[in-house]
């Protein structure tokens, strides 16, 4: 079958992946599941993987098929699988977990001590078929399109995961700031609006992104290139600051906003990872705020997000591309030229 | 009366404060309380104030009497005071709060919108008498010595506040790391031991501090100058990391430990503020850990700490000094030559 | 001034209160506030007070002016009041708290050890003027009508308080059941809808109440008189049960639903108090559910509810009555003949 | 092999089980684990099962081997088992869970939708060998005796689970009440003492139990047969009540204590299930307290309890019996004549 594979790390996205002919996956474990991929989202993390930015954090053996935001139809199952059967439409949680280690037993999928991450540590979904496991698939409600929903497998639950943590701390009258209304941010914004009664302010350099934010429920928007963000948030929040800031950008200039815009006792959630956190310790102490790193969401959180999609609360802006066009997608995302999320249909 | 006052910011601790003759305080509000000071702790924050390090964070009008860790005997009360009466032995929560603003109503004293902080923003307790208010005093149980307990008013509840947050996340079998076993750290360690069934590892450069840590309940100690902290914690925690790190130092080299020693989903609490937090956003994301700034504890937390002291769970190492020796104390703390906490007895 | 006062406990609502001529209230404390009452909600609790049902729980000295859901205009203030001034439109939190006791310091207004409850333990708002205190008044946003908002002072925050606790436990895809869509229930339902993305099922014996529920956001309604509630909830929730049940009725037959309709680990919140909780201990153990008693909300929760009203998220159905018609209101509520909330305009 | 089996429900404990010769268990699933039983605790629940008290809550097919508190040595493993191997000493979590359903994914083992409970719904551990599964076994630290630790498999984690919930709400200076210092209560008391800095009061009718309580860390004991419990708790807690009550008895007279002894906002945890909860709804509302049903603890909680045992924080009083003496044990427990926990050594 065809698969888009990374052979060596490069900063040249036009050469990111090559389309290889590889064997279809075999099930070797009792809980194996093979999915015919009908949608595989391309995301910023794919660019980072191509650039070699994850080699410090995980082990990767090249060549490797990328693609960690997958949905499709079950075509084969291991002998002890009961959760799904052939023909079922599923979305795939991005990681394969053991279900036995203490983190798994605590429900903390992402901390699994025996974790595989197809598309990051093993072959992913930019291919006709994907080998995953029973603990990674969620059967979709009738009427949910596998191609449309694919990016929720990672972009969606990452945004959802951060927002869920934030909403637990937010009350009516409180303020939340969404930094960056791109692929993740525009999902996070809708989750925030659906799950809380908070006043939302969205920050983005692009006018179209700010317009989209307003359309999706933001009460205020700020343009950091022409407005003084600290002063605007101060004015919007009556000098109190935002109880929760969700930073989908994570660059030096966005993390540096925290001391000025986070309310006392509040949180600055780091979702994007384009740069550094750099602050005096005294600044965290004086404002008693936190920088909270936030990873991909858990399997049950993907179930919750699917429920939100099924309720009509979250709309995903997607555009579809053939497997052959995958490097064009990589190149265009690198230059910020993809609106919403690009989905490959292998 | 005599009062030790700051006239100008200086790095020379031998000239830090001068002993002035000032008027005794007058009660002008219905809830005013005057306390004859029997113990006033000197802390690292006093050195920072003398150096002008707080001018970016609060407004200060010099000259000002320092001293924010106070205990003594009530000598005068405003007309609507019911909580204490003349002759009562009390410890003073370091801030005076309005009790009306939303943070106060949420129980968040330290975020009070109308906060006074004697010794930081108004005259403090390095004087014979201190003007405070009913909402700042806690009547002591019989048998608790006012001089001995004074440093708990700030050092104590700051340590307690951080530890309390940490213990809420700690289970038997989990690991906590205490960074720095000085004035705050040795209190925090004892609180941690009393309030949880966690394995505690203490880090300190000084051998005496590490010995003290073991005496006070630490299960392991590490010397960062001669041992590889990350490797030691890895070994102690079976590769999992510490669920909670409480950093009483807050220097560049201690905050930099987080990615290597904090378990996935865990927290690095910033209590000390000697330096910077400086990490790639990706590091917080990948380990899903937080840097949590942590401020002075709340009034009810001081009640809880007094209960711990009354139970015999927390022992404070103090040494006593006359008001006239205050600059010697400042100088010696600057050079790390004070063991436990210095208490001024004006 | 005119005031509607209870002289003796009775089951005859036509004789509930008498309109007496009493002195206007005097401010004797520095934080006193007198409010000219423009709206005072009549609620089920008033019927219970008239019947003597609260004598086991609080001390009451008759005669007493009832009325604990008050809003109006500030006409006088004590000398240390800073939060409001004459002419300000305010809603009154139903209790007066000391701000000094440990519960107050924890933000737990309702557990204040020195609490007064105008309309329950001291003179209330069914009068031209009400004596309250600075810690009980919340300034209203422009455009909010004092008569319309009055019932939120108790009915509203009681519903809000229960719903807020419930929403902290609810995720998208989870189910909540609202038992009783009357004065409190119709507010609670709207709060639930605004603050979460939960599937809501409303139970009520009356068709109009069920219709109102659907109009206000309920996804399902059930008529307990003609449908098998347990079977319906089982079907709606795919056999899992509702994670949170909010029981605005609290009668024997509604509390008895818990073992059959609450999901494992879930809660049955008791807001109404018409009857008993009566279950085998084994039933609570086996389903690991809780019966959670829930009281009036706190002052900051009333601020949050005012924010919800200001956002347009909660609409209150009210009808207005003169002070002279107060016993008619009492009588009609007793027979379930009041739609929404009755507000007295003294 | 020999197995003690229930053939029909009876109130006559002398006839409770019969020793039958049955086949050794076979592994049919990839995750199966066979344990040679070295300790199997007999508990009150076994008496309740014999009496048929669980037939309303679970499905049981007789005859069935009882025994749900098991520990021993692994003697066989399914082909995909990696967590343990033959020869490993293990304690068995009492339930077998699927690891796939939503409750399992949330870490809520006890709510598993495909749960087996050996000794309650399938053959248990009063036999030479027990069939269980990889997700149910926990490898023991060196030096922990399998016979001694067996009762922790159910009695221990049930007590631990309730106490863990309670400690999350307890602060220094707060009060906890332990109702019943029997098999579960004496474990719960030690966990409470190790995991919090709370003042503990223990209630028990028997003098030896109260003596044991004091030995294990209780600060106060009360004899309900000769003392007025409400008055005693009122005096011990300065009129505030206990923030957390853990009721290991669950009879009408113990659950009825709640309104009088639970502090406002506190919880009465129902662990034992000998009787009913029966209170006016108004009583729960007025005191804003909860009755919290509490089930067996989760797998990670058993890990945490094993850690507590390994630290030396929890000591279990056990006595050992042969399989042939099992009905004697049943009979003696029925009459309250077993001290600590009885462990069968098949
Ligand atoms: Zn992605
Ligand atoms: Zn795992
Ligand atoms: Zn830097
Ligand atoms: Zn200090
Ligand atoms: Zn304040
Ligand atoms: Zn009311
Ligand atoms: Zn109070
Ligand atoms: Zn048992
Ligand atoms: Zn399961
Ligand atoms: Zn009854």
């Amino acid at each position: 079958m065809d698969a888009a594979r990374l052979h060596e790390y490069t900063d040249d996205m036009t050469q990111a992946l090559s389309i290889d002919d590889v064997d279809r996956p075999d099930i070797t474990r009792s809980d194996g599941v093979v999915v015919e991929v009908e949608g595989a989202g391309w995301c910023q993390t794919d660019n980072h993987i191509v650039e070699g930015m994850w080699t410090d954090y995980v082990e990767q053996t090249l060549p490797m098929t990328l693609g960690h935001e997958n949905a499709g139809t079950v075509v084969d199952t291991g002998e002890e699988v009961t959760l799904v059967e052939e023909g079922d439409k599923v979305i795939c949680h991005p990681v394969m977990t053991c279900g036995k280690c203490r983190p798994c037993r605590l429900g903390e999928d992402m901390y699994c001590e025996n974790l595989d991450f197809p598309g990051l540590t093993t072959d992913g979904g930019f291919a006709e078929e994907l080998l995953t496991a029973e603990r990674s698939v969620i059967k979709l409600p009738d009427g949910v399109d596998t191609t449309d929903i694919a990016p929720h497998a990672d972009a969606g639950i990452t945004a959802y995961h951060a927002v869920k943590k934030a909403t637990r701390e937010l009350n009516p009258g409180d303020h939340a700031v969404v930094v960056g209304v791109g692929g993740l941010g525009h999902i996070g914004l809708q989750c925030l609006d659906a799950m809380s009664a908070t006043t939302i302010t969205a920050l983005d350099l692009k006018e179209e992104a700010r317009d989209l934010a307003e359309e999706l429920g933001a009460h205020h928007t700020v343009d950091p290139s022409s407005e003084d963000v600290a002063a605007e948030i101060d004015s919007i929040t009556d000098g109190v600051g935002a109880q929760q800031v969700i930073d989908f950008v994570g660059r030096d200039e966005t993390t540096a906003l925290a001391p000025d815009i986070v309310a006392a006792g509040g949180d600055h959630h780091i979702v994007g990872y384009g740069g550094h956190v750099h602050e005096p310790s005294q600044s965290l102490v004086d404002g008693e705020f936190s920088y909270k790193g936030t990873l991909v969401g858990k399997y049950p959180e993907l179930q919750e997000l699917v429920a939100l999609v099924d309720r009509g609360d979250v709309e995903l802006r997607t555009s579809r591309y053939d497997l052959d066009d995958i490097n064009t997608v990589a190149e265009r995302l690198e230059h910020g030229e993809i609106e919403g999320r690009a989905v490959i249909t292998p």
Side-chain angles (χ1 to χ4, degrees), chain A:
Chain A
M1 64 175 188
D2 280 349
R5 288 164 76 78
L6 175 67
H7 286 259
E8 66 186 319
Y9 304 111
T10 174
D11 287 341
D12 178 2
M13 290 300 143
T14 65
Q15 309 283 337
L17 306 181
S18 68
I19 308 298
D20 301 350
D21 184 32
V22 299
D23 291 340
R24 291 183 182 271
D26 261 346
I27 288 179
T28 56
R29 280 172 16 190
S30 63
D31 67 340
V33 172
V34 177
V35 173
E36 187 179 306
V37 182
E38 289 156 7
W42 179 280
C43 94
Q44 190 72 44
T45 290
D46 291 307
N47 293 65
H48 291 328
I49 296 169
V50 169
E51 291 158 3
M53 200 168 152
W54 275 93
T55 51
D56 280 357
Y57 297 95
V58 298
E59 275 185 44
Q60 297 178 321
T61 312
L62 304 190
M64 186 175 69
T65 307
L66 299 199
H68 57 267
E69 307 189 339
N70 308 303
T73 301
V74 173
V75 293
D76 198 7
T77 59
E79 57 190 13
E80 291 182 0
V81 171
T82 57
L83 215 54
V84 291
E85 57 187 12
E86 286 178 39
D88 282 347
K89 301 283 181 190
V90 294
I91 186 167
C92 302
H93 188 272
V95 301
M96 295 165 69
T97 57
C98 74
K100 306 172 183 181
C101 67
R102 183 166 159 92
C104 276
R105 297 309 296 269
L106 289 167
E108 291 294 348
D109 297 337
M110 295 304 303
Y111 312 154
C112 174
E113 294 169 3
N114 307 292
L115 176 148
D116 285 320
F117 201 138
L120 182 68
T121 67
T122 66
D123 285 338
F126 295 143
E128 293 172 47
E129 290 185 0
L130 168 76
L131 176 61
T132 181
E134 186 175 20
R135 279 176 51 92
S136 302
V137 292
I138 293 172
K139 205 175 156 182
L140 292 171
D142 291 342
V144 174
D145 183 84
T146 47
T147 310
D148 285 346
I149 204 171
H152 280 307
D154 175 53
I157 49 162
T158 299
Y160 176 81
H161 177 60
V163 165
K164 180 176 170 179
K165 287 196 276 188
T167 56
R168 287 291 189 248
E169 307 295 326
L170 286 165
N171 296 308
D174 285 350
H175 290 265
V177 170
V178 171
V179 181
V181 190
L184 270 75
H186 88 290
I187 300 171
L189 179 50
Q190 294 175 79
C191 295
L192 197 50
D193 191 38
M195 296 165 69
S196 74
T198 307
T199 307
I200 305 171
T201 300
L203 266 58
D204 205 292
L205 294 165
K206 293 197 233 169
E207 189 177 355
E208 318 88 84
R210 294 193 304 273
D211 290 347
L212 176 62
E214 282 184 4
E215 200 182 309
L216 296 175
H219 303 88
H220 306 272
T221 59
V222 177
D223 173 5
S225 68
S226 68
E227 297 176 275
D228 176 341
V229 174
E232 291 298 316
I233 299 301
D234 197 69
S235 152
I236 290 167
T237 66
D238 267 331
V240 170
Q243 281 74 18
Q244 298 288 308
V245 172
I246 308 164
D247 185 344
F248 292 103
V249 177
R251 297 172 67 102
D252 295 30
E253 52 274 40
T254 60
T255 66
L257 292 169
D260 292 327
I261 70 170
V262 180
D267 302 304
H268 187 109
H269 299 272
I270 308 282
V271 190
Y273 49 94
H276 287 73
V277 167
H278 190 197
E279 282 300 325
S281 296
Q282 191 177 9
S283 165
L284 281 87
V285 168
D286 183 63
E288 200 165 48
F289 72 85
S290 302
Y291 285 112
K292 291 196 167 165
T294 178
L295 196 46
V296 177
K298 310 163 199 179
Y299 179 96
E301 291 178 331
L302 186 51
Q303 293 177 312
E304 293 160 20
L305 178 57
V306 169
L308 276 182
V309 171
D310 197 34
R311 283 169 62 101
D313 283 341
V314 180
E315 174 193 353
L316 187 58
R317 306 284 165 107
T318 57
S319 47
R320 301 176 178 212
Y321 299 85
D322 288 341
L323 193 58
D324 291 341
D325 297 331
I326 200 159
N327 288 347
T328 310
V329 172
E331 175 71 3
R332 291 184 53 191
L333 186 65
E334 193 71 11
H335 297 108
E337 294 163 11
I338 299 280
E339 284 187 38
R341 297 293 285 188
V343 183
I344 311 298
T345 55

